[in-house]
Amino acid sequence: MDRQLNRSIAILAPVLAVVLGGGVTGTAVAVPFETARAERQLTVQEQVLDGRVEAVHRATVSAQTSGRIVELVYDVDEFVEEGALIARLRDTEQRARLNQASAALREAEARFSEAEAEYERIRGIFERQLVARAEMDRATAARDSARARLESARAAVAGAEEQLEYTRVRAPYAGIVTERFVEVGESVSPGQPLIAGISLEVLRVTTDVPQRHIGAVRELGRARVFHDGETPVDADGLTFFPYADPATNTFSVRVDLPVGTEGLFPGMFVKVAFAVGERERLVVPERAVVYRGELVGVYVVDETERVSLRQIRAGRVLDDGMIEVLAGLEAGERVALEPVHATLYLKEQRETTP
């Protein structure tokens, strides 16, 4: 009982001071909670459009050599690491060619060693002027010819090794298998599709911007992507197609997303907010707004520190924790930042007011 009485006295004190003082003279005690003033702020004006998420890296891996499929390591919807083996072809023919090329290389190395030794022997004799110039020229030509055959043999081995490696099909990047075009046992030829996949690491959004907005969108070059009420994702960059669709008079725009963006997958529909200008808005901190059923309002604190609940018409929430006020408030008015405390204070204020 005493606590309630003391609380009532504390609330009535500033009011009595105002009455006895003959007006508001600055003697009113501040409300026991934090407040902020409604202010006008220059904010970005946005145009919201529909968009679709797509993967930047999409590929169909094709065969680069002939052979029969002996193994398919991954199936549809399975995740593949970069460089992982995804398919293997029968390599009997390619391995035989490599063995043949390797044997030819060993022969070329032996021939070159022999020609090099003969050249050095003839050169030593020629320097002592014991053989004719023609003999030196033949030794030099034989050495150069052996070197050329050696280089050709090395190139043949490299080509055979590459053909053998083509029988082991590897993933060009990490991603998800979306489609398989062949089965184990099928014979394939160069250029025939084997497996298709996409990467989830790098995504983008494609959308169509109306002709009337494309100039501002190009100039400002800023966009945000929204999905299911999640925190918007700022675009990494915009790519503009240099022509309009003659049927819709819209320009296709690609919105690049940061690498590793979570919660978005290829094929999803999202909202894209493009910056198209700036305008002044009346804003208050979002935490000052209260929702009572269909009522949206704020607790306003007047110059005499009296509190009242006032209905407002709220706009969109801004990035910095502020919310736009379309109607119901004027710039400079104070609002309570702790609605729960303001509710209790208002109740006590009503109980102590005669």
PDB file of all heavy atoms in Angstrom, residues 310-325:
ATOM      1  N   ARG A 310      -1.105   7.099 -29.532  1.00  0.00           N
ATOM      2  CA  ARG A 310      -1.619   7.703 -30.747  1.00  0.00           C
ATOM      3  C   ARG A 310      -1.492   6.713 -31.919  1.00  0.00           C
ATOM      4  O   ARG A 310      -0.460   6.082 -32.096  1.00  0.00           O
ATOM      5  CB  ARG A 310      -0.863   8.977 -31.089  1.00  0.00           C
ATOM      6  CG  ARG A 310      -1.462   9.725 -32.288  1.00  0.00           C
ATOM      7  CD  ARG A 310      -0.645  10.931 -32.661  1.00  0.00           C
ATOM      8  NE  ARG A 310      -0.517  11.871 -31.549  1.00  0.00           N
ATOM      9  CZ  ARG A 310       0.244  12.960 -31.595  1.00  0.00           C
ATOM     10  NH1 ARG A 310       0.941  13.218 -32.698  1.00  0.00           N
ATOM     11  NH2 ARG A 310       0.320  13.764 -30.555  1.00  0.00           N
ATOM     12  N   GLN A 311      -2.573   6.619 -32.680  1.00  0.00           N
ATOM     13  CA  GLN A 311      -2.559   5.733 -33.843  1.00  0.00           C
ATOM     14  C   GLN A 311      -1.783   6.379 -34.976  1.00  0.00           C
ATOM     15  O   GLN A 311      -1.887   7.585 -35.215  1.00  0.00           O
ATOM     16  CB  GLN A 311      -3.983   5.430 -34.295  1.00  0.00           C
ATOM     17  CG  GLN A 311      -4.065   4.456 -35.461  1.00  0.00           C
ATOM     18  CD  GLN A 311      -5.496   4.118 -35.827  1.00  0.00           C
ATOM     19  OE1 GLN A 311      -6.443   4.652 -35.242  1.00  0.00           O
ATOM     20  NE2 GLN A 311      -5.676   3.232 -36.792  1.00  0.00           N
ATOM     21  N   ILE A 312      -1.009   5.574 -35.685  1.00  0.00           N
ATOM     22  CA  ILE A 312      -0.248   6.054 -36.832  1.00  0.00           C
ATOM     23  C   ILE A 312      -0.487   5.106 -38.010  1.00  0.00           C
ATOM     24  O   ILE A 312      -0.987   3.998 -37.854  1.00  0.00           O
ATOM     25  CB  ILE A 312       1.263   6.142 -36.540  1.00  0.00           C
ATOM     26  CG1 ILE A 312       1.832   4.733 -36.270  1.00  0.00           C
ATOM     27  CG2 ILE A 312       1.554   7.099 -35.403  1.00  0.00           C
ATOM     28  CD1 ILE A 312       3.347   4.678 -36.211  1.00  0.00           C
ATOM     29  N   ARG A 313      -0.092   5.572 -39.180  1.00  0.00           N
ATOM     30  CA  ARG A 313      -0.065   4.704 -40.360  1.00  0.00           C
ATOM     31  C   ARG A 313       1.399   4.482 -40.717  1.00  0.00           C
ATOM     32  O   ARG A 313       2.103   5.417 -41.092  1.00  0.00           O
ATOM     33  CB  ARG A 313      -0.822   5.338 -41.520  1.00  0.00           C
ATOM     34  CG  ARG A 313      -0.941   4.425 -42.745  1.00  0.00           C
ATOM     35  CD  ARG A 313      -2.135   4.827 -43.597  1.00  0.00           C
ATOM     36  NE  ARG A 313      -2.005   6.164 -44.137  1.00  0.00           N
ATOM     37  CZ  ARG A 313      -1.469   6.443 -45.325  1.00  0.00           C
ATOM     38  NH1 ARG A 313      -1.009   5.453 -46.074  1.00  0.00           N
ATOM     39  NH2 ARG A 313      -1.384   7.679 -45.756  1.00  0.00           N
ATOM     40  N   ALA A 314       1.845   3.250 -40.536  1.00  0.00           N
ATOM     41  CA  ALA A 314       3.255   2.927 -40.711  1.00  0.00           C
ATOM     42  C   ALA A 314       3.548   2.501 -42.140  1.00  0.00           C
ATOM     43  O   ALA A 314       2.716   1.875 -42.804  1.00  0.00           O
ATOM     44  CB  ALA A 314       3.680   1.841 -39.735  1.00  0.00           C
ATOM     45  N   GLY A 315       4.758   2.823 -42.593  1.00  0.00           N
ATOM     46  CA  GLY A 315       5.228   2.383 -43.898  1.00  0.00           C
ATOM     47  C   GLY A 315       6.199   1.228 -43.751  1.00  0.00           C
ATOM     48  O   GLY A 315       6.074   0.399 -42.859  1.00  0.00           O
ATOM     49  N   ARG A 316       7.212   1.222 -44.591  1.00  0.00           N
ATOM     50  CA  ARG A 316       8.147   0.089 -44.564  1.00  0.00           C
ATOM     51  C   ARG A 316       9.243   0.308 -43.528  1.00  0.00           C
ATOM     52  O   ARG A 316       9.560   1.434 -43.136  1.00  0.00           O
ATOM     53  CB  ARG A 316       8.759  -0.116 -45.941  1.00  0.00           C
ATOM     54  CG  ARG A 316       9.684   0.976 -46.426  1.00  0.00           C
ATOM     55  CD  ARG A 316      10.155   0.684 -47.845  1.00  0.00           C
ATOM     56  NE  ARG A 316      11.116   1.672 -48.324  1.00  0.00           N
ATOM     57  CZ  ARG A 316      12.426   1.569 -48.145  1.00  0.00           C
ATOM     58  NH1 ARG A 316      12.915   0.526 -47.519  1.00  0.00           N
ATOM     59  NH2 ARG A 316      13.240   2.499 -48.619  1.00  0.00           N
ATOM     60  N   VAL A 317       9.800  -0.807 -43.092  1.00  0.00           N
ATOM     61  CA  VAL A 317      10.915  -0.786 -42.148  1.00  0.00           C
ATOM     62  C   VAL A 317      12.203  -0.545 -42.921  1.00  0.00           C
ATOM     63  O   VAL A 317      12.467  -1.200 -43.939  1.00  0.00           O
ATOM     64  CB  VAL A 317      10.985  -2.108 -41.362  1.00  0.00           C
ATOM     65  CG1 VAL A 317      12.166  -2.090 -40.407  1.00  0.00           C
ATOM     66  CG2 VAL A 317       9.691  -2.342 -40.603  1.00  0.00           C
ATOM     67  N   LEU A 318      13.039   0.367 -42.446  1.00  0.00           N
ATOM     68  CA  LEU A 318      14.286   0.705 -43.112  1.00  0.00           C
ATOM     69  C   LEU A 318      15.430  -0.122 -42.534  1.00  0.00           C
ATOM     70  O   LEU A 318      15.294  -0.779 -41.494  1.00  0.00           O
ATOM     71  CB  LEU A 318      14.578   2.200 -42.959  1.00  0.00           C
ATOM     72  CG  LEU A 318      13.430   3.136 -43.405  1.00  0.00           C
ATOM     73  CD1 LEU A 318      13.817   4.584 -43.183  1.00  0.00           C
ATOM     74  CD2 LEU A 318      13.081   2.886 -44.865  1.00  0.00           C
ATOM     75  N   ASP A 319      16.565  -0.069 -43.203  1.00  0.00           N
ATOM     76  CA  ASP A 319      17.692  -0.923 -42.825  1.00  0.00           C
ATOM     77  C   ASP A 319      18.296  -0.552 -41.480  1.00  0.00           C
ATOM     78  O   ASP A 319      18.888  -1.393 -40.812  1.00  0.00           O
ATOM     79  CB  ASP A 319      18.795  -0.844 -43.890  1.00  0.00           C
ATOM     80  CG  ASP A 319      18.365  -1.515 -45.196  1.00  0.00           C
ATOM     81  OD1 ASP A 319      17.437  -2.334 -45.136  1.00  0.00           O
ATOM     82  OD2 ASP A 319      18.948  -1.203 -46.242  1.00  0.00           O
ATOM     83  N   ASP A 320      18.209   0.701 -41.072  1.00  0.00           N
ATOM     84  CA  ASP A 320      18.888   1.155 -39.867  1.00  0.00           C
ATOM     85  C   ASP A 320      18.024   1.048 -38.617  1.00  0.00           C
ATOM     86  O   ASP A 320      18.263   1.731 -37.627  1.00  0.00           O
ATOM     87  CB  ASP A 320      19.351   2.603 -40.043  1.00  0.00           C
ATOM     88  CG  ASP A 320      18.209   3.535 -40.452  1.00  0.00           C
ATOM     89  OD1 ASP A 320      17.084   3.045 -40.628  1.00  0.00           O
ATOM     90  OD2 ASP A 320      18.459   4.749 -40.600  1.00  0.00           O
ATOM     91  N   GLY A 321      16.988   0.194 -38.638  1.00  0.00           N
ATOM     92  CA  GLY A 321      16.142   0.010 -37.471  1.00  0.00           C
ATOM     93  C   GLY A 321      15.064   1.060 -37.319  1.00  0.00           C
ATOM     94  O   GLY A 321      14.409   1.122 -36.276  1.00  0.00           O
ATOM     95  N   MET A 322      14.863   1.868 -38.358  1.00  0.00           N
ATOM     96  CA  MET A 322      13.814   2.888 -38.323  1.00  0.00           C
ATOM     97  C   MET A 322      12.629   2.413 -39.149  1.00  0.00           C
ATOM     98  O   MET A 322      12.754   1.535 -40.014  1.00  0.00           O
ATOM     99  CB  MET A 322      14.347   4.211 -38.881  1.00  0.00           C
ATOM    100  CG  MET A 322      15.635   4.694 -38.242  1.00  0.00           C
ATOM    101  SD  MET A 322      15.452   5.127 -36.502  1.00  0.00           S
ATOM    102  CE  MET A 322      14.734   6.777 -36.661  1.00  0.00           C
ATOM    103  N   ILE A 323      11.464   3.005 -38.884  1.00  0.00           N
ATOM    104  CA  ILE A 323      10.263   2.676 -39.637  1.00  0.00           C
ATOM    105  C   ILE A 323       9.614   3.971 -40.114  1.00  0.00           C
ATOM    106  O   ILE A 323       9.612   4.994 -39.402  1.00  0.00           O
ATOM    107  CB  ILE A 323       9.275   1.854 -38.761  1.00  0.00           C
ATOM    108  CG1 ILE A 323       8.102   1.369 -39.609  1.00  0.00           C
ATOM    109  CG2 ILE A 323       8.798   2.643 -37.552  1.00  0.00           C
ATOM    110  CD1 ILE A 323       7.214   0.366 -38.899  1.00  0.00           C
ATOM    111  N   GLU A 324       9.102   3.939 -41.316  1.00  0.00           N
ATOM    112  CA  GLU A 324       8.495   5.127 -41.913  1.00  0.00           C
ATOM    113  C   GLU A 324       7.112   5.369 -41.320  1.00  0.00           C
ATOM    114  O   GLU A 324       6.334   4.428 -41.129  1.00  0.00           O
ATOM    115  CB  GLU A 324       8.405   4.948 -43.420  1.00  0.00           C
ATOM    116  CG  GLU A 324       7.816   6.141 -44.157  1.00  0.00           C
ATOM    117  CD  GLU A 324       7.684   5.897 -45.640  1.00  0.00           C
ATOM    118  OE1 GLU A 324       7.865   4.740 -46.065  1.00  0.00           O
ATOM    119  OE2 GLU A 324       7.379   6.857 -46.364  1.00  0.00           O
ATOM    120  N   VAL A 325       6.799   6.620 -41.035  1.00  0.00           N
ATOM    121  CA  VAL A 325       5.482   7.021 -40.539  1.00  0.00           C
ATOM    122  C   VAL A 325       4.803   7.826 -41.639  1.00  0.00           C
ATOM    123  O   VAL A 325       5.242   8.916 -41.990  1.00  0.00           O
ATOM    124  CB  VAL A 325       5.579   7.846 -39.246  1.00  0.00           C
ATOM    125  CG1 VAL A 325       4.190   8.278 -38.786  1.00  0.00           C
ATOM    126  CG2 VAL A 325       6.270   7.041 -38.152  1.00  0.00           C
TER     127      VAL A 325
END
